[in-house]
Amino acid sequence: MDIKDYSNIFTRYDLVTESPYYSIRKAANENRLIHKVIEAVILGETDRVPHAVKAALAEHDPVDIIYNGLVAAMREVSLLWDEGIYYLPQTLLASDAMLLGLKMCENELGHPVRKRGLAVTHTAEGDIHDLGQKIVNTLLRASGFEVVDLGKDVPVEEVIKAVRKYRPDILCGTAHLSTTMSAFERISARMQEERLVVPFVCGGGGGVTLSFITGFLFGIYGKDAALAPKIAEDACRGMGWEAIRRKYNG
Ligand code: B12
């Protein structure tokens, strides 16, 4: 058979016909610049991200781009993964694209010179899902908190060492795997042994739920990264972990 029209040979039919991306492409027309960010992240096109984010930053608030662009795009990537359309390589590319955009937004937000308090953040032992943690870092820094970022896959004892060393106003944790979230419970138990009393704000996916997190001492469930600066603020004003839990987790 002779092919007469080559114009569609590079079309990603998986993305334009049978994936959630098809629907967000139709839905996101109202905001062209943010949509370009969403598109670049979903497609994992790290080379297109700088231009897309720069253009969006000219008209939008960085926090708006983080939530409506970067986080929204990762929500779609999660659906693509869950539906078996994306595998590890595409997801990894999308994650890298998101992190690149986040860095640009963070630079734009700036870091106030006078610090309001200190937070230690980490992604659980055995877990490399650190996108949520990086968003938390960005929002805390933008709100004037100093952040000690312990990184991902952080052993429980490293977390305890950092809490002992920095005496933070809050400790933050992120986990996504059912096999790694138990690290939070172990951290809580070790904090008790060491008499370290710090609000331990945890978020993420899978089994990281309100009932799991409020099942151990110091645990406060953070459904959204935007809660981190609010909780840090309360902790700096002297509110204890139990009062913070009552306020945010009911
Ligand atoms: C991106 C992703 C990856 C990327 C991670 C890149 C990175 N740098 O993080 C890559 C490709 C590397 C990856 C690898 C793997 N992944 Co993965 N991954 C995902 C995916 C698609 C999205 C998760 C994500 O980043 N979401 C976006 C971020 C922004 O959301 P978030 O972290 O939840 O953060 C938000 C809130 O939770 C909250 N938050 C988070 N932390 C905190 C902290 C505080 C203090 C506060 C207040 C709020 C807060 O705020 C954020 C928004 O505002 C999910 C799918 C899904 N349905 O969730 C699977 C998923 C989590 N992965 C999964 C698996 C199995 C794996 C692998 C084991 C696969 C493999 N066979 O190798 C490996 C993990 C290896 C390891 N040891 O960790 C499973 C986990 C199943 C389970 N429950 O155990 C999932 C659910 C996919 C699935 N349906 O099977 N993955």
Side-chain angles (χ1 to χ4, degrees):
M1 187 183 78
D2 277 353
I3 298 174
K4 298 205 168 57
D5 178 8
Y6 289 90
S7 62
N8 282 333
I9 59 170
F10 292 123
T11 299
R12 297 269 303 268
Y13 284 105
D14 57 338
L15 293 179
V16 297
T17 59
E18 58 187 31
S19 77
Y21 180 55
Y22 183 51
S23 37
I24 62 154
R25 247 171 57 140
K26 283 192 295 184
N29 283 345
E30 61 192 63
N31 204 319
R32 200 178 47 85
L33 293 174
I34 289 198
H35 178 66
K36 287 279 171 207
V37 174
I38 292 176
E39 200 173 72
V41 172
I42 290 177
L43 295 174
E45 293 180 337
T46 41
D47 49 344
R48 262 179 64 196
V49 166
H51 178 73
V53 173
K54 196 171 168 208
L57 281 169
E59 289 188 19
H60 296 272
D61 181 66
V63 175
D64 187 25
I65 298 168
I66 291 173
Y67 275 100
N68 297 321
L70 305 174
V71 174
M74 282 313 294
R75 209 175 296 127
E76 290 301 319
V77 170
S78 295
L79 289 174
L80 290 165
W81 170 304
D82 290 343
E83 292 187 359
I85 294 165
Y86 266 15
Y87 294 93
L88 276 179
Q90 299 97 322
T91 310
L92 199 51
L93 281 172
S95 305
D96 287 348
M98 197 215 100
L99 286 174
L100 191 62
L102 188 65
K103 193 86 225 139
M104 291 178 70
C105 291
E106 182 165 340
N107 290 343
E108 192 68 18
L109 282 164
H111 302 161
V113 180
R114 272 194 59 203
K115 299 298 175 202
R116 297 158 84 181
L118 186 142
V120 167
T121 72
H122 83 289
T123 295
E125 181 164 358
D127 205 315
I128 61 169
H129 294 92
D130 64 352
L131 302 186
Q133 184 205 351
K134 298 295 179 205
I135 296 172
V136 165
N137 290 347
T138 298
L139 299 183
L140 280 169
R141 287 184 184 127
S143 307
F145 292 94
E146 188 175 346
V147 175
V148 176
D149 174 356
L150 301 180
K152 57 194 166 196
D153 183 13
V154 187
V156 168
E157 283 312 312
E158 291 292 316
V159 177
I160 297 299
K161 217 155 76 183
V163 174
R164 219 187 285 122
K165 177 172 175 191
Y166 296 103
R167 300 280 164 174
D169 297 293
I170 60 167
L171 169 65
C172 297
T174 299
H176 269 275
L177 298 174
S178 25
T179 48
T180 59
M181 64 192 208
S182 62
F184 293 157
E185 281 175 309
R186 283 183 280 137
I187 288 169
S188 162
R190 289 285 295 117
M191 280 167 62
Q192 255 177 287
E193 280 170 19
E194 301 275 328
R195 295 179 197 283
L196 298 165
V197 180
V198 179
F200 182 19
V201 195
C202 304
V208 179
T209 57
L210 178 92
S211 65
F212 174 68
I213 301 300
T214 54
F216 51 82
L217 283 188
F218 319 116
I220 294 148
Y221 177 58
K223 189 173 170 50
D224 198 287
L227 287 179
K230 293 181 186 148
I231 294 175
E233 181 78 61
D234 285 338
C236 287
R237 281 208 212 100
M239 201 186 264
W241 70 269
E242 284 162 302
I244 292 178
R245 183 191 276 181
R246 270 195 303 279
K247 177 170 174 185
Y248 292 92
N249 294 167

